[in-house]
């Protein structure tokens, strides 16, 4: 004699209701998660929209450097109160790899370079003394456009300051005096660029 494994109509109904509740819960959770992710994406897009609408007093637009967050590293530098990472767009990286600046080769029109600057802090995790980036401070940008910037060796300069509390960038009103061409004239023979492409 075999026992019956068939469920009663009442048990089937309870099982169906339980599955429906589980499905509804999964749908609600998925919708909530999509809402959160969508909000984060929209927030990031709004920040990019705000950032890339900025123009420096000297007419350099932050939007000219769109995508700089993913550009290749050229070099780095460390001053007492600033850690710097220098990145460049693909055109400029290609020119570096082909020998610019040197032997009469200069960077082509459209070359762009960005110096990303952080306030440093001492690492509390490393087992040795090391400075690591803390608060992001500013993006110092340069772009080569000889028609737009003939008086400064073909390069346009700007500084976009970052306020960590608000998460917003603003163009520095003194950018033209913050180094810019005044400092870079010292390396005119290197097409106004201080940092060589470092071997890696």
């Amino acid at each position: 004699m075999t026992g019956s494994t068939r469920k009663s109509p009442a048990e089937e109904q309870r099982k169906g209701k339980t599955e429906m509740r589980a499905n509804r819960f999964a749908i609600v959770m998925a919708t909530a998660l999509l809402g959160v992710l969508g909000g984060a994406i929209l927030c990031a897009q709004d920040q990019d929209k705000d950032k890339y609408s900025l123009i420096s007093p000297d007419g350099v637009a932050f939007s000219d450097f769109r995508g700089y967050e993913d550009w290749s590293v050229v070099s780095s530098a460390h001053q007492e109160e600033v850690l710097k990472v220098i990145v460049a767009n693909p055109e400029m990286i290609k020119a570096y790899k082909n020998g610019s600046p040197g032997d009469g080769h200069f960077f082509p029109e459209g070359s762009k370079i960005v110096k990303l600057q952080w306030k440093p802090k001492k690492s509390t995790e490393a087992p040795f003394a090391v400075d690591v980036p803390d608060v992001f401070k500013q993006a110092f940008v340069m772009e080569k456009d000889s028609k737009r910037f003939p008086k400064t060796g073909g390069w346009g300069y700007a500084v976009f300051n970052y306020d960590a509390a608000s998460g917003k960038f603003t163009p520095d009103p003194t950018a033209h005096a913050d180094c810019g061409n005044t400092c870079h004239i010292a390396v005119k023979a290197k097409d106004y660029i201080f940092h060589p492409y470092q071997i890696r």
Side-chain angles (χ1 to χ4, degrees):
M1 184 174 169
T2 58
S4 174
T5 57
R6 189 168 182 195
K7 293 183 180 172
S8 71
E11 289 176 320
E12 290 287 346
Q13 191 175 19
R14 275 196 300 274
K15 181 183 173 190
K17 285 181 180 177
T18 302
E19 287 177 354
M20 281 177 58
R21 280 195 295 269
N23 288 340
R24 282 187 193 142
F25 179 75
I27 290 168
V28 168
M29 291 305 292
T31 303
L33 181 60
L34 286 173
V36 170
L37 291 174
I41 290 167
L42 288 174
C43 182
Q45 288 174 341
D46 284 346
Q47 285 177 338
D48 279 353
K49 183 180 176 185
D50 289 344
K51 174 170 71 175
Y52 289 133
S53 68
L54 301 176
I55 300 176
S56 78
D58 292 336
V60 175
F62 209 166
S63 60
D64 290 351
F65 300 85
R66 189 180 298 275
Y68 73 90
E69 301 92 341
D70 300 317
W71 289 355
S72 295
V73 172
V74 172
S75 185
S76 65
H78 183 204
Q79 289 178 287
E80 190 173 326
E81 296 185 11
V82 186
L83 287 177
K84 306 175 185 182
V85 173
I86 298 92
V87 299
N89 69 343
E91 293 83 356
M92 192 161 179
I93 293 292
K94 182 178 179 182
Y96 266 124
K97 290 180 176 181
N98 287 333
S100 295
D103 296 328
H105 294 96
F106 290 124
F107 294 103
E109 297 292 308
S111 291
K112 296 171 187 176
I113 192 165
V114 180
K115 189 180 344 179
L116 304 168
Q117 304 186 109
W118 288 265
K119 181 180 176 183
K121 67 177 181 180
K122 297 292 181 190
S123 172
T124 58
E125 299 172 328
F128 45 83
V130 61
D131 286 340
V132 295
D134 186 13
V135 179
F136 185 66
K137 300 299 286 179
Q138 64 181 203
F140 172 86
V141 303
M142 292 175 61
E143 64 178 312
K144 190 164 190 182
D145 187 331
S146 299
K147 289 182 181 177
R148 288 172 60 203
F149 310 110
K151 294 180 180 177
T152 52
W155 291 93
Y157 302 82
V159 173
F160 295 96
N161 294 321
Y162 180 74
D163 177 61
S166 66
K168 302 262 183 197
F169 282 89
T170 54
D172 191 320
T174 64
H176 50 279
D178 183 352
C179 194
N181 187 247
T182 306
C183 286
H184 286 249
I185 199 80
V187 285
K188 181 179 178 181
K190 297 179 179 179
D191 202 8
Y192 301 89
I193 298 296
F194 279 104
H195 297 277
Y197 185 80
Q198 299 294 341
I199 295 172
R200 59 209 65 191

